[in-house]
Every structure is written in structure tokens, then in C-alpha cells.
Amino acid sequence: MADPKTAYLSLGSNLGKKANQLQQALFAIQRQVGTIERISPVYQSAAWGFEAADFLNICVQIQTQLAPQALLGALLDIETSLGRLRLQEDGYEPRIIDIDILYYGRETFVSENLIIPHPEIPFRKFVLRPLADIAPQFYHPVLNKDSRNLLQECRDKGALEKTGFRFYKDRQSLFSHLGFISIEGNIGAGKTTMAHKIAEDFNAKLVLERFADNPFLPKFYEDQSRYAFPLEMSFLADRYQQFTDDTSQYDLFKNFMVSDYDIYKSLIFAQVTLQKEEFGLYRKLFNLMYREVKKPKIYVYLYQTTERLLENIQKRGRDYEKNISAEYLNNINQGYFDFIRSYPGQNSLILDVSEMDFVANRHDYESVLNQIQNFATEKGL
């Protein structure tokens, strides 16, 4: 097998969810073309050569085994898979995704549909600026000038602005950067299952709520008014101790953390179950504790309809859950929504998974991962 070649690519998008499309393109390049070694900052620029919405632009450095013509073919396939339709007429057009080969090592290459180095490099600031970020001293094999010199000499006066977006070569890298993801949901929503799957697939430390042996829980489902306060206080003490311990101890062999609960759920459940005076006392203690705990980078709430929740609860067959009512589940759902609205600065993502089976159906699981990924990308996390 031939030694891999270093190639430089330019990517741009000015239609639809531009950041997500660029991120999807990078994932595809990593899977199908070669290893992404460097990704530039993301720049916003005016459309070049025609009137249209602003572009997002990046440059990347890759290592690839593909020859130039095969590389072009693979990149065109990626563009097509992401929804790009090319017009037959000559000229510029808005595009969902555009991927150009800038350099292929120090080689020159000319064919009917491909010229390397790309002939427009010296004239496009939206290419030269991100290229200079990742390859400032790479010399143009024909002009014999490096990226910094070409940028200084470029006469393109178009506006160019660095954005806060961050892109990654693969989903593993994206999730690792997030550091801590919390998967939340009502009773029976599937949060523990989802947290398990993410931890296994992406090498995350798994933080699970432990409450099955709580002596007050079975009694609470039999007599809520009598056992609500000791149950909620017991949960709060256990959750605070466990959550603080688990989230403060990093595992050097794991890439990030994912939990199947957030400690704020204590207040949500307490507000539903406690009397007004009891809740007032409970909240004072809770607020002191909540200031000290680690907050997730993304808070994912798995929503399921009450009917689906009841079905799931029945399937898992826990005796102490058999008397849970639809009204109680509705109140818990509303409590979560009120919490999410109360913290607009938190990165909260509500996913309706009522019609999904992310355990048996890989497509449904991928859909959840894609929505988390797209949310992180759009937020610039």
C-alpha cells in the first residue's frame, strides 16, 4: 500500500443548518476518505461571486490513501449524500455543502474535472484565512508562496468573521469534548438504557442513580402522604452524596461522563409529592446543595407520553411501581418542563421518543445521537 498523502480541503455551506452540514461532512470524510488531522476555526463570509446567504467556511488537513481522482469522487459522493444537487449551467449557486481539494501534497494534477492546486486559492480570503490557521507555512507548489504570504497579498475584500462554532473529526471526539452529559426523563422513559448505550459506545464513565434499595420507596407508593417527606429527604441525601462523589472523580481511562439523572430531579419530584410547608423546608436545604454540584454540558430530557410510560412501567414488572398513576406521571412531566423553562441558560434538549424503540431499533438510537450531536454543534459547544 502506498504511503498516505497529506491533502488540504476547503468546506463551505450556506443553505439550511449550515453548521450541522459541515459537521456531518467532516464525519463522512473521516469515515470514507482518510484521517482528519487538523480542523481550522469556522469563519462566516459573504457569498463569493453571487448574491446569497452568508457561508460558513473551514479548511481541514487530512491523510488519505486515495489518488486525486478517487479523492474527488469520494468527496462528490459525500456532497450528494448530504443533499447537494448541482445545476447543469455554469456559474455559482447556493449549496448545502461544498468540498474542494486545495492541495494534494506538493503535487500538481490536471484533468477534465480537477485541477490541483485549486486555481482559485490566491483569490479567496475565505479559503486562505482558515488555511493559514492550520498550514501557515505550507508553500503553494506553483506560486512558491506560503499560506500567510498568499493571504497578505489577497485582494479579496469580502467580510470575514470568525465564529464560535467548533467541529470535530468524529462523534467520539465531539462527545468527549462535552465532558458531561445528563440523560433525564420520567419514570419508564428509558434514560438508564440510553445512558448505558452511550457509555458503552463512546467509552464514557457511567453515573447511575442508585435507589432500588431505598426502604421508603415501596411504602411511598402505598401511602404517598405519609411517606413522601422521608422518601424525598432520603433521596436527596443519597443523590447528593453519590452525585458529588461520582462526578468529582474522573476516570483516566474514560473519555467523558454520562449520567441517567441530574440532581435537580430531587426538587421536581419533591414539588409533586410534598405538602406546601414540607416543600418550603425541603427547598431551602436543596438550594444549598445544588450550588455545589457539577452541572452537565448538555441536559437531555427523553419525553414519552403518559400512555407509553405506563406501558414501559408495566413491562419491567416492579411490584412497588404497579400503583403509579397517570396523574402522578403527568405531574412529573410538567415538573421537568417547568424546570427546563426556569433555566434558559442551561443547554437543555427535549427529545420526543414516544414513537421510538432505541433498544431494538438501531435507526432510532442513531436518531437520538444525531439530535444530541446537532444540538451541540448548533450551540457551539
Side-chain angles (χ1 to χ4, degrees), residues 238-373:
D238 289 346
R239 283 178 184 141
Y240 177 76
Q241 183 64 54
Q242 179 211 344
F243 196 82
T244 302
D245 290 345
D246 286 348
T247 58
S248 63
Q249 297 174 6
Y250 286 94
D251 188 331
L252 295 178
F253 299 99
K254 300 296 183 181
N255 295 321
F256 64 104
M257 290 188 293
V258 60
S259 72
D260 73 340
Y261 76 107
D262 179 82
I263 196 172
Y264 200 93
K265 76 179 300 177
S266 298
L267 195 66
I268 294 170
F269 278 78
Q271 189 167 17
V272 173
T273 59
L274 298 182
Q275 300 297 320
K276 183 177 180 180
E277 293 78 10
E278 292 176 332
F279 180 71
L281 176 61
Y282 180 95
R283 183 160 196 162
K284 289 180 181 179
L285 180 59
F286 174 85
N287 287 340
L288 293 173
M289 293 181 171
Y290 190 63
R291 294 193 196 107
E292 306 301 322
V293 299
K294 185 177 181 66
K295 311 301 189 297
K297 196 72 167 285
I298 296 183
Y299 180 99
V300 180
Y301 182 69
L302 301 180
Y303 170 78
Q304 299 220 32
T305 63
T306 301
E307 292 75 19
R308 180 76 181 274
L309 292 172
L310 289 170
E311 290 175 7
N312 294 342
I313 291 169
Q314 185 177 11
K315 285 178 183 177
R316 63 190 190 186
R318 296 173 182 170
D319 288 340
Y320 59 82
E321 292 180 342
K322 63 184 179 182
N323 294 323
I324 293 178
S325 68
E327 180 183 8
Y328 179 68
L329 294 175
N330 283 333
N331 289 337
I332 295 298
N333 259 341
Q334 189 58 53
Y336 273 108
F337 290 143
D338 289 344
F339 159 62
I340 291 170
R341 282 195 295 267
S342 299
Y343 285 81
Q346 178 176 261
N347 295 314
S348 299
L349 173 62
I350 300 174
L351 300 180
D352 188 344
V353 295
S354 300
E355 302 300 322
M356 293 185 180
D357 183 354
F358 46 76
V359 177
N361 190 320
R362 180 72 189 186
H363 180 269
D364 288 345
Y365 175 56
E366 282 291 326
S367 177
V368 171
L369 295 181
N370 280 333
Q371 290 182 76
I372 296 173
Q373 163 196 306

Side-chain angles (χ1 to χ4, degrees), residues 65-344:
Q65 295 280 356
L66 298 178
Q69 201 68 51
L71 175 58
L72 175 63
L75 297 176
L76 292 176
D77 287 344
I78 291 171
E79 289 183 346
T80 300
S81 71
L82 293 175
R84 179 168 181 182
L85 298 174
R86 292 179 179 271
L87 298 179
Q88 297 301 314
E89 300 84 5
D90 292 334
Y92 297 106
E93 58 180 332
R95 58 211 69 182
I96 288 176
I97 190 70
D98 185 39
I99 311 174
D100 290 326
I101 303 171
L102 302 177
Y103 296 123
Y104 185 84
R106 297 272 302 161
E107 296 184 19
T108 58
F109 182 89
V110 178
S111 70
E112 184 179 348
N113 61 347
L114 179 62
I115 301 176
I116 300 175
H118 195 292
E120 300 295 334
I121 290 174
F123 312 112
R124 295 178 173 179
K125 187 166 65 174
F126 66 84
V127 169
L128 287 169
R129 177 66 269 177
L131 184 61
D133 288 329
I134 62 172
Q137 295 179 304
F138 186 88
Y139 276 76
H140 191 292
V142 177
L143 301 177
N144 202 32
K145 295 179 180 179
D146 67 19
S147 302
R148 294 173 302 181
N149 288 332
L150 290 174
L151 178 60
Q152 290 171 354
E153 295 175 2
C154 182
R155 296 183 179 182
D156 179 4
K157 303 302 181 184
L160 195 65
E161 179 182 354
K162 184 183 287 189
T163 73
F165 293 112
R166 297 188 63 169
F167 295 146
Y168 304 89
K169 65 179 182 179
D170 53 29
R171 192 182 275 161
Q172 175 75 72
S173 301
L174 186 152
F175 278 11
S176 296
H177 176 76
L178 293 174
F180 179 29
I181 304 172
S182 177
I183 309 295
E184 262 286 17
N186 209 329
I187 302 167
K191 53 188 177 293
T192 302
T193 300
M194 178 58 68
H196 267 288
K197 290 176 72 67
I198 290 175
E200 181 178 348
D201 288 349
F202 300 100
N203 190 37
K205 177 181 177 180
L206 184 61
V207 178
L208 297 178
E209 183 179 15
R210 297 188 292 267
F211 62 85
D213 58 351
N214 190 306
F216 295 106
L217 190 59
K219 297 177 181 180
F220 166 76
Y221 286 128
E222 294 174 2
D223 188 348
Q224 293 190 13
S225 61
R226 180 177 178 183
Y227 290 102
F229 190 72
L231 174 72
E232 298 301 346
M233 290 299 296
S234 175
F235 273 156
L236 180 59
D238 289 346
R239 283 178 184 141
Y240 177 76
Q241 183 64 54
Q242 179 211 344
F243 196 82
T244 302
D245 290 345
D246 286 348
T247 58
S248 63
Q249 297 174 6
Y250 286 94
D251 188 331
L252 295 178
F253 299 99
K254 300 296 183 181
N255 295 321
F256 64 104
M257 290 188 293
V258 60
S259 72
D260 73 340
Y261 76 107
D262 179 82
I263 196 172
Y264 200 93
K265 76 179 300 177
S266 298
L267 195 66
I268 294 170
F269 278 78
Q271 189 167 17
V272 173
T273 59
L274 298 182
Q275 300 297 320
K276 183 177 180 180
E277 293 78 10
E278 292 176 332
F279 180 71
L281 176 61
Y282 180 95
R283 183 160 196 162
K284 289 180 181 179
L285 180 59
F286 174 85
N287 287 340
L288 293 173
M289 293 181 171
Y290 190 63
R291 294 193 196 107
E292 306 301 322
V293 299
K294 185 177 181 66
K295 311 301 189 297
K297 196 72 167 285
I298 296 183
Y299 180 99
V300 180
Y301 182 69
L302 301 180
Y303 170 78
Q304 299 220 32
T305 63
T306 301
E307 292 75 19
R308 180 76 181 274
L309 292 172
L310 289 170
E311 290 175 7
N312 294 342
I313 291 169
Q314 185 177 11
K315 285 178 183 177
R316 63 190 190 186
R318 296 173 182 170
D319 288 340
Y320 59 82
E321 292 180 342
K322 63 184 179 182
N323 294 323
I324 293 178
S325 68
E327 180 183 8
Y328 179 68
L329 294 175
N330 283 333
N331 289 337
I332 295 298
N333 259 341
Q334 189 58 53
Y336 273 108
F337 290 143
D338 289 344
F339 159 62
I340 291 170
R341 282 195 295 267
S342 299
Y343 285 81

